[in-house]
Each structure stands twice: as structure tokens, then as C-alpha cells.
Amino acid sequence: MMESKSPVCNTCGEEIGVKPNGEFFVACHECSFPICKACLEYEFKEGRRICLRCGNPYDENVLDDVETKTSKHQSTIATHISNTPQDSGIHARHVSTVSTIDSELNDEYGNPIWKNRVDSWKDKKSKKKKKHAKATKDEDPDAQVPPQQHMEDISLNAEAASATDVLSVVIPIPRTKITSYRIVIIMRLTILALFFHYRITHPVDSAYGLWLTSVICEIWFAFSWVLDQFPKWSPINRETYIDRLSARFEREGEPSQLAAVDFFVSTVDPLKEPPLITANTVLSILALDYPVDKVSCYVSDDGAAMLSFESLVETADFARKWVPFCKKYSIEPRAPEFYFSLKIDYLRDKVQPSFVKERRAMKRDYEEFKIRMNALVAKAQKTPEEGWTMQDGTSWPGNNTRDHPGMIQVFLGYSGARDIEGNELPRLVYVSREKRPGYQHHKKAGAENALVRVSAVLTNAPFILNLDCDHYVNNSKAVREAMCFLMDPVVGQDVCYVQFPQRFDGIDKSDRYANRNIVFFDVNMRGLDGIQGPVYVGTGCVFRRQALYGYSPPSKPKMLPQSSSSSCCCCPSKKKQTQDPSEIYKDAKREELDAAIFNLGDLDNYDEYERSMLISQTSFEKTFGLSAVFIESTLMENGGVPDSVNPSTLIKEAIHVISCGYEEKTEWGKEIGWIYGSITEDILTGFKMHCRGWRSIYCMPLRPAFKGSAPINLSDRLHQVLRWALGSVEIFLSRHCPLWYGCSGGRLKWLQRMAYINTIVYPFTSLPLVAYCTLPAICLLTGKFIIPTLSNLASMLFLGLFISIILTSVLELRWSGVSIEDLWRNEQFWVIGGVSAHLFAVFQGFLKMLAGLDTNFTVTSKTAEDLEFGELYIVKWTTLLIPPTSLLIINLVGVVAGFSDALNKGYEAWGPLFGKIFFAFWVVLHLYPFLKGLMGRQNRTPTIVILWSILLASVFSLVWVRINPFVSKTDTTSLSQNCLLIDC
């Protein structure tokens, strides 16, 4: 029999040893956290008496035993501390218990001691790997530490570092708030189970069809609630320390060591996306509080419009004045349109005497800049028959938007392009990818992938931040906030992206249509941050470039092929299973990709010739495309342009990588870059990264990092929701469906998978929701109801369910800080969008994916009123308005019919009526914002909407007349017998 191995100390890496009775030394009996006696003695010497993993106090017997021997083992303690791992940091839950004595943790040069011990730790680790290599091969694979526990151990090792070295901490929700919240969730789940037991065992025989429909709808609603609720089980908050980031990477007298960032700004049609808004976004990027040589801004013009190009020329010229002004006076925000529109005292905290004068001059320059931009827009309203012509007399290459070559123009960032004070400016690059007939261009996802390749060739920053053209930088330190996570040696190594919440300008105070999405960004996303990280929402996100290239996180082992281990994310299987041919083919493709995407460090041992040979032999070209310059850039984990590249050929190479045929027979859009297959490419891209084992971070600085604009009128808002829902249906019908995709790898946590499932099935809630909103009217028109006469026990059950729903919402508001008005608006628009946009998305998705039919719902806009929030009152004709309008009319007709029926039947009919009336008013109350939007400011509604709604309501009214609920049925047999008894 083989002798069992002693566990290894999680702090120093040595064996924890045994007690005199032969048992392994255990410090914490709650979680059995592996720590040796010497390290435990050091913990007590520093005053730390709680477990690093679970936070519970150590056993009293252990305390007494250790305290009596502390003085005898100081030399041993020093030996163990000198071997502290590189991944040391501080865990957020125990910040208050960690010593911060700088004299003991810094060397004579002020550098942290744990950094200087990295080399010795690596040597020790390599020796241990060689020593135990054979033993590891003989061990059972199932006995190895799972990746999730490995990541947890890394975070726990962070306790050994000083608090001054930590760039961010996790701040858990107070236990008093989160515990009661969880208890109510379990209580509500229990009540739901009892509720459905009652509903199923007490059918309504007189209205069996209505009862069955209502039960099916309620079961689906409960399923949707579970999918939405449990990913919010462990929400967290985070706090960053920008000053520590600067102290570590920006030392005085030395070049900045902060990582470079490439910014992506996407635009398509400058007539729909005003160039002035795009210019403000670009200006806010160029004026960031970040080293100028670390910032590059790439603007993608996917419409190849000369207006976009000329507006960028004007923007680059104005940036020479705007950027030094922003940095000189540290103004916020650094988008001029929004800065000059602030209704605040701009003299507050401004002590420089020259500020007022320079601000007035800058505002005058900006007004002139706006005049020039508006003149360009006015000129572009009518396209000449011969097409646009540039200043040198040549024809604009993008006159045919569907057939044009690739175009790249560098405006700033090169020699001679400096601001008015002679300082260097960040790089600004215009990019328009090639488009030819017969090629799939994949819309925004394809444009983003083109920017990934162009930026890799020209600057190759290790991090990428993408923004929509209408989202400007509201916090000039936003990138520093993200770097506190991505550049942290402990936290950042497995982080694929840092997502910021979306905030919006120009929305009415009541937020009638829940445009701010406060519940999603302040509740759901914080809950996901406590699992594996937030989903990617399409903008305001800082990516790690290597994660976009399809690499796995450094701490994760290589994924096993499905042929050797078949398992799911939550129930790993120990037995081998046979595979069908399709699975074998998928395994072969995965192995081929793994051959191309391997550990970057393995290439450092080769010279230039061997390196080029290795690249050509490992299927890199099949993965990344036929560009040696780009392939070599993917091997540079820390970014930067390869030294072997000739700078004069970079633009030519950049043009090559945005050609329309470059992605053919590669993994672009399949495994690397933005993923194709859905109009909501953001969900797919983040989902693929999480399936590889990466985690993401949710960053919510006090000052919002980015702000954008949102459609505030009803029709545009519904079409926005329709697009999102249609993308979810496309993912549901694709091979990337979270119900089954990535189960074999086991790297996606089951609560994270539940959240992704919720993002793709929520449009299907529209079907039971429409049926449920129709039931009140049918009940009122037919005189029947979906619930039998309630007993005392049933009444208590319904009351308990109602109270649990209220308590869940109240406690959620308590820990999240969301207002009750935001929660109610979100609930209302869930119904409005569910019975309109989501319903159309389901049918359109099935038509598109199964029949290949692509249905578009056009919107015809009227002129907006020249008032504040005038766009809010615009009424636009769209098919999406018909279903909710019909539901409103039907339920109002049903209420009138119900009261009329009660008046005819007398006093005994009023009791059952109140339940039906309450049901109908529940629908009307949720659709009330829709009704206000439909009426507009002056009660104006499109005629076509009224006609369609009246038509549908009339159909239901005719059905009601046919049923005749007011007239009691006459027994003709008894009537004829009574007539015979009459003596005529």
C-alpha cells in the first residue's frame, strides 16, 4: 500500500507535518485550511487569530498550544516567510486584520520584499515540480485540486502581502443584510412549492381550460424567477486604490510602467449617429488622465462615409487645444459638449487666475468647431451624382459603401503632431475595412475584429477598451480604475475583462421606460460579480487582448478532450463514455486549435529562425490568418510592436489584415475575437471567455466611468429591446446555447451558467405573459375564474406568497441601494416589453433561424417638439404597439362588462367580481407607462394603432356577445311542461 502524502501548507509550500499522535496538524476544524504550525505561529505573533479561508476563529486548543511555543520557532518562521509565493496579496474580507508595518515589508530601496523573493520562489517551485513529477503522473486525476479551488487558494495566499500593495479589495455585503435576504429567498421558494401543490390539486372544473393555462403560465414565471434570482445569491462590492497604482507603476524620474490601452470607437452612418457626438467621444478619450504614449484611439467607420473622415480631421485639429486645457485644469467630464452644458459653478475649486479667461476662449473655440461640424453635416445631406471628391481632386474611395478598399489614416501620435503647448498627443487612427460583394462582413462584430487586427499591427496594446460612438468618457481616471484589477499580480492574472456599468444622459427624471436599467446594472451585475463575473454588455469594457485571442487563463490547466473525460459543469463524471462521430470531430478541431494556441512562454527559448519555423508549423495561420506580423504580435503577452518589424511596412500590413477575405478559413468569429452568430455579439463573446475559465470584474467607481445616450421615446425603446431579445433567441437556436455549450470543460460555474441561460430564455416569457394578461378580460367576460373558492389554509398560502414577494423586493433594495421607483419602473417595462418586443422577437427569431426569413420593423419618425425631453413625446408608428394596446382595450372592456354583470346579478355577484377586477387592474397598472406614451403630450395616437386595436377588441367583444354571460340559460324542457299545465 502506498503511504498517504502530507498536505502542503498554503502559505509557505512545506508539508504541514503531523501531531504526536500521528494525525495531520489541523489549525481550523471548520474548513481544514492547510497551514503548518510555523506559519500559524507567525499569524498569532502578528495578531491574526482567524482562519484565512472561512474567517472563523481558530480552535482554542490550537491557540494555547501555539502561544506557548511562539518564542521557540522565530527562526523557523523567518525561513517560511522568506519563501512566500509570488502570488501573495491581501484578501478583501480580512483587510482590518492585516499588519501594515512598512519597515518590515519593504527593503532598503522601498520595494516590497515579496517582489524580491519571486526568483527564489520560482526556483523552489521548479525543483518541487521535478521532484513530484513522477508521483503526479501516478495519482488519480480526480484527486487533483480543481481549478475553482486553485483560484480560491490564490486569493487566500494574498493575505501574506502588505495592505499597501493591494490595488483593489472585495467588500462583501454586510452579513445582516445578505443573510436575511437569502432566508427570504428560501422561504419564498418553499411557499412557491406549496402554492403549486395547491394549484395543481385544486382544479376549477367549470373553467378547466382557463385554470390549466394559468397554472402553466405560473410555473414558467416561477422558473424565470429562479433563473433570475439565484445568480444574485452572493453580491459583492469592490474598491480600488488608484494612488497605490500610481505609486507602484509611475515612480518619479522613471518612465511610466502602466500598460498601454487601445480604444475602439465604432460608427456606421454619420447621418444617424451625429459626428459631433462621435467627436466628443474621441476628444474625451484623447484627454484621459493617462500617459499619452500609452493611449491609442481607433475609430471604425463601417459606412466608409467621407463625412466621418472629414469630421475626424476637424476633431484632431480641435484636440490640439482641448487636450492641454483639460489636463491643465483637471476638468470633468472631458467631452466639451457635456462639460460646457453643466449647470454648476465652474469657478469652484479653480484657483488659477487664468482659468476664467481660458475657459471663455475655449468655449468660443468649441462653438466655432461645432459650426464647422454642422456645416459638414449640412453639406453631406445631398450626395453628388458623381460621388464625393477629396480636396486633392481624387474620388473618395468609399463612394460605394458596399464595394470599396480598406482605408487607414493616422491623424495624431506621430512626429510633429503635438498640441498647442508642444506636448505629445495620443494616437488617433481612422479605419474603414474593405468591403466587397459576396463576402460576409458580420456588422459590428466584424468591424471590432478588424480593429483588433489593425491595432495589433500598429500599437499592440495588451488591453483594449471599446466604446459606442455615443458613449463618452465621464471619468478621466476610468482606465486607472480598470488597471487596478488587470495589472494586479494576484487578482488580474485570470481576468479577461473589466466591465463598467452603463449610465445615460438626457433621460427624463421619472425614467418612464426604464432606460437606465438600474436594476440590471446595480443588482444583477453585482450578483454576477460574486460568481464568475458580469456579462459583457457591448460597451464600456476593458479587455485583455490575450483573452480575445482564445487563450486560456494562466492558472488553468489545459482542457481535457471529451473523449478522455466526459463531465458537466456541476456533476463531473469519473467514467469514460463513448462519443459519437460529431463529438470526435469537435475534439479534433479543439486539439487543432490548442496546437495553435499554446503557452506563450514556450516560444521564448527559440531564436528568430526557429521561432518563424515554429509559427508556420503550429497552425497559427489557420487560426489567425495569413499575416506574419500579426501572428508575431499575438505571441507578445505584454504587448508592443515586434522589434523585427519594419515600421515603414506597418500601414501596408494593417491594410492587409482588414481585407474582406482575410478571415476566410480562420477561427475569427468562431473561437477568437468577437464571436459571430448573433446580433448581440457581446453576450456570445463574454460567454465564450467564461467557458474557457476566465473571470470578469465589475467596476463601479463613484463617478460614472462612461455616459451615453438612450432612446427615450416609446417606439425607439421597444425596437432597442426587440434587437436585444432577437439576439437572445438567435443564441438559443445556435450551437452556443448555454444549456449545453461548454458543459464538458467544467470551467463555467453553475450559477454563472444559470445567469447565461436566463439571458437567452427571457424572450420566451412573452408567450405565457400575453396569455396571462388576457386571462382577466376572459374571466370578466365569461363570468368564470381561474381559482376556486378559497379555504382558510389557501388564503394563508396566497397571503404568504404575496408577503414573500414584497420582502424579497424590500431586502433587495436594502443591500443594493436601488430606489423603489426604479424597481417598479423595471417591473412595468418587463410587462410592456414582454407583450410587445419580446413576443415579436420570438417569432422573428424562429423565422430567421429556421426559415431564413428576415423581417424588419421600420419606424417612421415625426418631428420632435422643441422642448426639454421633446423626443419623449414623439409617437412613431410601429407594429410593436398593437399587442399591448389591444390588451389594454380588452381589459378595460372586461372591467366594464364585469361591473355590468354584477349589477344585473345582484349583491352576491360582487364578491367574486373583486378578485377579477384586481387581476385586470394588475395588467392595466403595469401597462400604464405604455398608455401614457401612446397618448403623447397632447393625446395624439397614430390612427393605424387605434384601428388595429379596435379591430382586435371588437373580435373579443363579438366572442363575448356569442357567449352571452349576462343572460341566464333557459331550460326549454321545463318551460314547455309549464305551458301544458296552463288552462287556456
Side-chain angles (χ1 to χ4, degrees):
M1 295 179 64
M2 294 183 61
E3 184 179 357
S4 60
K5 293 178 55 181
S6 174
V8 178
C9 175
N10 197 67
T11 302
C12 65
E14 298 292 341
E15 295 183 357
I16 65 173
V18 295
K19 298 180 181 179
N21 59 5
E23 297 179 356
F24 292 128
F25 176 77
V26 178
C28 178
H29 295 285
E30 294 291 335
C31 64
S32 300
F33 179 64
I35 183 171
C36 66
K37 186 177 296 186
C39 291
L40 186 63
E41 291 170 359
Y42 182 76
E43 291 291 315
F44 282 106
K45 180 183 177 182
E46 295 296 321
R48 298 188 285 268
R49 297 170 177 262
I50 61 175
C51 177
L52 299 179
R53 173 179 289 173
C54 64
N56 293 315
Y58 288 117
D59 185 71
E60 293 296 333
N61 297 328
V62 177
L63 297 180
D64 297 338
D65 181 62
V66 172
E67 287 176 347
T68 58
K69 300 179 182 179
T70 301
S71 61
K72 299 181 182 180
H73 297 279
Q74 292 182 355
S75 59
T76 307
I77 296 169
T79 303
H80 284 288
I81 296 301
S82 65
N83 292 326
T84 302
Q86 179 188 9
D87 290 336
S88 298
I90 187 170
H91 198 274
R93 293 182 293 180
H94 307 291
V95 174
S96 60
T97 65
V98 180
S99 172
T100 59
I101 304 177
D102 294 337
S103 60
E104 294 181 5
L105 296 177
N106 293 338
D107 61 11
E108 58 182 349
Y109 299 101
N111 298 323
I113 292 177
W114 63 272
K115 284 186 175 182
N116 298 332
R117 293 173 181 150
V118 169
D119 295 335
S120 61
W121 173 75
K122 285 185 175 180
D123 294 338
K124 180 179 178 181
K125 186 176 180 181
S126 61
K127 290 178 182 179
K128 286 188 176 182
K129 286 185 177 179
K130 293 179 181 179
K131 181 178 179 181
H132 298 290
K134 186 175 181 180
T136 305
K137 292 180 180 178
D138 297 333
E139 290 178 355
D140 184 6
D142 295 322
Q144 297 179 2
V145 179
Q148 291 84 356
Q149 184 177 344
H150 178 68
M151 283 305 300
E152 184 181 1
D153 293 342
I154 290 177
S155 63
L156 293 170
N157 284 338
E159 291 288 348
S162 168
T164 57
D165 293 325
V166 177
L167 301 180
S168 65
V169 295
V170 176
I171 305 177
I173 304 298
R175 187 169 297 180
T176 55
K177 295 182 180 180
I178 198 65
T179 302
S180 57
Y181 178 64
R182 292 170 178 172
I183 291 174
V184 171
I185 291 175
I186 298 300
M187 182 182 71
R188 181 174 174 181
L189 197 62
T190 304
I191 295 176
L192 269 176
L194 297 174
F195 170 79
F196 284 120
H197 178 267
Y198 171 81
R199 292 284 282 132
I200 294 173
T201 56
H202 291 77
V204 182
D205 296 330
S206 61
Y208 189 82
L210 297 178
W211 168 83
L212 183 61
T213 302
S214 65
V215 169
I216 293 174
C217 294
E218 289 162 1
I219 291 175
W220 179 265
F221 295 152
F223 172 70
S224 300
W225 172 77
V226 169
L227 290 180
D228 180 70
Q229 186 66 63
F230 278 91
K232 297 182 285 189
W233 184 261
S234 55
I236 60 173
N237 296 316
R238 296 183 185 272
E239 185 176 351
T240 57
Y241 302 104
I242 300 179
D243 53 342
R244 298 178 186 174
L245 180 78
S246 299
R248 181 181 296 184
F249 297 104
E250 292 182 301
R251 297 182 178 179
E252 188 175 356
E254 299 179 6
S256 174
Q257 299 300 316
L258 289 173
V261 182
D262 288 337
F263 286 78
F264 294 173
V265 179
S266 301
T267 182
V268 179
D269 187 353
L271 297 180
K272 295 181 180 179
E273 300 165 335
L276 186 62
I277 299 299
T278 304
N280 272 270
T281 300
V282 173
L283 290 169
S284 67
I285 293 173
L286 299 178
L288 273 173
D289 181 10
Y290 208 72
V292 292
D293 60 324
K294 306 289 185 178
V295 177
S296 300
C297 180
Y298 294 83
V299 180
S300 171
D301 177 19
D302 217 31
M306 188 173 175
L307 173 58
S308 298
F309 181 84
E310 292 181 333
S311 64
L312 210 58
V313 174
E314 294 289 346
T315 303
D317 184 61
F318 180 71
R320 293 183 171 91
K321 304 176 183 178
W322 175 251
V323 172
F325 172 75
C326 293
K327 295 188 175 182
K328 181 178 181 180
Y329 297 107
S330 301
I331 66 170
E332 296 283 0
R334 300 191 176 181
E337 180 70 23
F338 302 95
Y339 169 69
F340 289 121
S341 63
L342 290 177
K343 298 178 181 179
I344 61 174
D345 182 11
Y346 61 86
L347 295 178
R348 186 178 58 184
D349 301 330
K350 304 299 181 184
V351 296
Q352 295 91 334
S354 60
F355 173 70
V356 176
K357 180 180 179 180
E358 291 193 27
R359 185 185 186 277
R360 290 174 179 171
M362 183 55 60
K363 188 173 183 180
R364 182 170 58 252
D365 291 339
Y366 179 65
E367 293 298 329
E368 295 174 356
F369 168 71
K370 288 174 64 176
I371 292 173
R372 295 194 298 270
M373 294 288 285
N374 292 332
L376 292 175
V377 174
K379 177 184 175 183
Q381 295 297 321
K382 186 176 181 181
T383 305
E385 295 182 359
E386 65 278 6
W388 297 107
T389 304
M390 294 186 289
Q391 292 183 355
D392 59 358
T394 59
S395 178
W396 171 247
N399 279 326
N400 187 344
T401 57
R402 298 184 179 180
D403 186 5
H404 64 84
M407 295 177 283
I408 296 177
Q409 176 66 48
V410 180
F411 290 106
L412 300 175
Y414 54 90
S415 178
R418 298 180 178 270
D419 61 29
I420 57 175
E421 297 182 358
N423 300 317
E424 184 182 356
L425 286 170
R427 179 171 300 200
L428 177 62
V429 184
Y430 170 87
V431 179
S432 181
R433 57 179 173 147
E434 181 186 21
K435 287 189 175 181
R436 301 297 181 189
Y439 287 91
Q440 281 286 344
H441 301 293
H442 303 288
K443 300 181 180 179
K444 180 182 177 181
E448 296 287 350
N449 283 338
L451 289 181
V452 171
R453 297 191 293 272
V454 169
S455 62
V457 171
L458 296 181
T459 52
N460 196 33
F463 300 106
I464 294 171
L465 195 157
N466 83 296
L467 290 172
D468 289 341
C469 63
D470 59 347
H471 277 69
Y472 65 91
V473 181
N474 184 65
N475 185 347
S476 62
K477 298 183 183 295
V479 178
R480 294 178 180 268
E481 297 273 357
M483 291 301 119
C484 286
F485 302 107
L486 294 169
M487 297 188 69
D488 192 294
V490 177
V491 178
Q493 62 175 345
D494 286 345
V495 175
C496 56
Y497 60 81
V498 175
Q499 178 66 61
F500 291 89
Q502 291 187 19
R503 304 300 187 208
F504 301 97
D505 287 320
I507 298 178
D508 59 304
K509 294 181 180 180
S510 63
D511 193 14
R512 182 184 296 177
Y513 308 121
N515 285 281
R516 293 190 178 93
N517 283 327
I518 294 294
V519 174
F520 174 75
F521 286 112
D522 288 16
V523 180
N524 296 70
M525 296 286 269
R526 287 163 69 184
L528 290 176
D529 199 18
I531 308 173
Q532 199 172 342
V535 298
Y536 169 45
V537 297
T539 183
C541 185
V542 186
F543 284 98
R544 185 182 299 276
R545 187 182 286 269
Q546 295 297 320
L548 283 171
Y549 288 160
Y551 293 102
S552 296
S555 67
K556 298 293 183 182
K558 185 175 179 180
M559 293 181 64
L560 296 174
Q562 290 182 353
S563 58
S564 61
S565 175
S566 178
S567 63
C568 68
C569 61
C570 47
C571 300
S573 175
K574 298 182 180 180
K575 297 182 179 180
K576 295 183 179 180
Q577 299 180 2
T578 58
Q579 289 181 290
D580 56 18
S582 62
E583 292 296 325
I584 296 175
Y585 173 76
K586 291 179 182 178
D587 290 343
K589 294 295 290 181
R590 187 179 294 108
E591 290 177 359
E592 181 181 346
L593 182 61
D594 288 341
I597 304 177
F598 57 91
N599 189 358
L600 298 177
D602 294 343
L603 294 178
D604 296 337
N605 301 324
Y606 301 94
D607 57 27
E608 184 176 355
Y609 175 75
E610 292 174 336
R611 189 185 183 93
S612 61
M613 292 296 295
L614 187 62
I615 290 175
S616 63
Q617 292 174 5
T618 53
S619 304
F620 269 84
E621 292 181 348
K622 294 181 181 179
T623 303
F624 296 111
L626 298 174
S627 172
V629 175
F630 174 73
I631 290 175
E632 189 169 359
S633 71
T634 64
L635 306 177
M636 306 181 68
E637 190 172 5
N638 295 322
V641 179
D643 296 333
S644 59
V645 177
N646 186 359
S648 61
T649 63
L650 287 181
I651 294 296
K652 182 179 180 181
E653 191 68 25
I655 292 290
H656 168 62
V657 298
I658 60 172
S659 59
C660 54
Y662 182 84
E663 294 183 356
E664 288 191 345
K665 298 181 180 180
T666 66
E667 296 296 332
W668 283 101
K670 302 172 186 175
E671 297 294 336
I672 60 177
W674 270 256
I675 306 301
Y676 304 148
S678 171
I679 57 176
T680 52
E681 69 288 330
D682 45 5
I683 298 294
L684 267 182
T685 304
F687 174 62
K688 294 275 285 189
M689 293 182 182
H690 283 139
C691 286
R692 296 190 188 105
W694 292 96
R695 69 183 313 271
S696 53
I697 297 289
Y698 195 51
C699 183
M700 296 181 64
L702 294 178
R703 180 179 180 85
F706 310 100
K707 280 191 175 182
S709 57
I712 64 173
N713 70 75
L714 178 60
S715 303
D716 289 346
R717 173 67 167 143
L718 289 178
H719 274 268
Q720 181 189 55
V721 174
L722 170 64
R723 179 183 175 275
W724 295 343
L726 178 58
S728 296
V729 175
E730 290 175 344
I731 297 174
F732 178 81
L733 299 175
S734 70
R735 71 182 185 93
H736 292 114
C737 180
L739 287 170
W740 52 77
Y741 184 84
C743 288
S744 60
R747 296 185 174 184
L748 189 67
K749 295 184 179 180
W750 68 276
L751 281 179
Q752 191 80 15
R753 183 177 297 277
M754 186 180 292
Y756 273 112
I757 292 174
N758 186 43
T759 61
I760 65 162
V761 301
Y762 78 88
F764 297 96
T765 307
S766 60
L767 299 175
L769 187 59
V770 170
Y772 210 69
C773 290
T774 309
L775 286 178
I778 297 178
C779 291
L780 287 167
L781 292 173
T782 59
K784 301 174 182 179
F785 201 42
I786 59 176
I787 299 175
T789 303
L790 297 178
S791 61
N792 291 335
L793 179 61
S795 300
M796 294 295 294
L797 190 61
F798 276 82
L799 182 62
L801 180 62
F802 185 71
I803 293 175
S804 68
I805 293 174
I806 294 177
L807 284 178
T808 306
S809 300
V810 170
L811 293 177
E812 196 168 274
L813 297 178
R814 186 175 172 224
W815 67 256
S816 66
V818 175
S819 67
I820 189 171
E821 183 181 9
D822 290 325
L823 187 67
W824 173 237
R825 291 299 186 199
N826 181 77
E827 185 74 15
Q828 286 181 311
F829 197 78
W830 174 74
V831 176
I832 295 172
V835 300
S836 56
H838 297 172
L839 181 66
F840 279 80
V842 171
F843 290 106
Q844 185 178 355
F846 275 98
L847 288 174
K848 182 177 181 180
M849 301 300 292
L850 302 180
L853 300 177
D854 192 2
T855 306
N856 292 318
F857 301 96
T858 57
V859 180
T860 304
S861 175
K862 293 184 178 180
T863 304
E865 299 181 8
D866 190 17
L867 297 171
E868 185 178 12
F869 306 120
E871 188 183 354
L872 176 66
Y873 305 101
I874 298 176
V875 181
K876 304 177 182 179
W877 154 243
T878 170
T879 320
L880 301 178
L881 300 177
I882 295 177
T885 306
S886 302
L887 286 175
L888 272 171
I889 294 177
I890 291 170
N891 279 277
L892 291 176
V893 170
V895 170
V896 175
F899 276 107
S900 302
D901 188 25
L903 290 173
N904 290 336
K905 290 184 177 180
Y907 177 78
E908 67 278 359
W910 286 97
L913 176 65
F914 284 117
K916 303 172 187 177
I917 294 295
F918 175 81
F919 198 9
F921 271 108
W922 177 89
V923 177
V924 174
L925 198 61
H926 278 78
L927 294 177
Y928 179 69
F930 173 84
L931 181 61
K932 288 185 66 177
L934 199 65
M935 294 297 102
R937 184 186 291 273
Q938 299 174 356
N939 296 334
R940 299 174 302 176
T941 305
T943 306
I944 189 66
V945 173
I946 298 176
L947 293 178
W948 272 100
S949 302
I950 292 177
L951 177 62
L952 292 178
S954 301
V955 171
F956 275 87
S957 299
L958 291 174
V959 174
W960 166 63
V961 172
R962 176 68 180 86
I963 297 174
N964 281 332
F966 293 166
V967 180
S968 60
K969 302 298 181 181
T970 305
D971 190 351
T972 56
T973 303
S974 59
L975 182 62
S976 60
Q977 291 178 354
N978 293 332
C979 291
L980 292 176
L981 296 176
I982 298 176
D983 187 5
C984 300

